[in-house]
């Protein structure tokens, strides 16, 4: 399933995320979108944060740094755990 903003001209912002269905946009900002989805393999509800890399505000290096920081803090009780990472077909 892909998500496009209301009034979109046909350009899809989020390509299919393999292994997940029923994507519902629950939050968005200038550099990321968060979806509620079902992880097919384990049949569980998950949150998916999709970082929008534009090479100006959010670079690939920023994304890598955020991932490393989140993983380092994921043992803390108020930080979500990362269960999967990947790159969409559009990068």
């Amino acid at each position: 399933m892909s998500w496009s903003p209301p009034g979109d001209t046909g350009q899809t912002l989020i390509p299919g995320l393999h292994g997940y269905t029923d994507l519902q946009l629950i939050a968005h900002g200038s550099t990321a979108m968060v979806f509620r989805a079902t992880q097919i393999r384990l049949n569980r509800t998950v949150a998916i944060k999709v970082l929008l890399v534009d090479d100006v505000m959010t670079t690939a290096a920023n994304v890598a740094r955020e991932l490393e920081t989140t993983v380092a803090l994921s043992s803390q009780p108020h930080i979500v755990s990362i269960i999967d990472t990947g790159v969409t077909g559009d990068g």
Side-chain angles (χ1 to χ4, degrees):
M1 172 178 199
S2 299
W3 178 81
S4 298
D8 181 54
T9 60
Q11 178 185 9
T12 300
L13 293 180
I14 300 300
L17 296 172
H18 301 289
Y20 301 92
T21 62
D22 304 324
L23 272 72
Q24 300 171 359
L25 181 68
I26 56 175
H28 64 87
S30 63
T31 62
M33 293 184 283
V34 178
F35 295 89
R36 176 182 296 118
T38 300
Q39 184 181 25
I40 297 168
R41 188 169 59 92
L42 299 175
N43 191 33
R44 65 178 170 182
T45 301
V46 297
I48 299 174
K49 182 178 183 180
V50 178
L51 298 172
L52 305 172
V53 178
D54 64 7
D55 293 328
V56 176
M57 290 182 66
T58 307
T59 65
N62 291 350
V63 171
R65 191 168 34 257
E66 180 171 338
L67 176 61
E68 291 170 7
T69 301
T70 304
V71 168
L73 296 173
S74 65
S75 64
Q76 300 297 316
H78 301 289
I79 303 291
V80 298
S81 296
I82 294 177
I83 58 171
D84 195 7
T85 64
V87 177
T88 64
D90 290 343

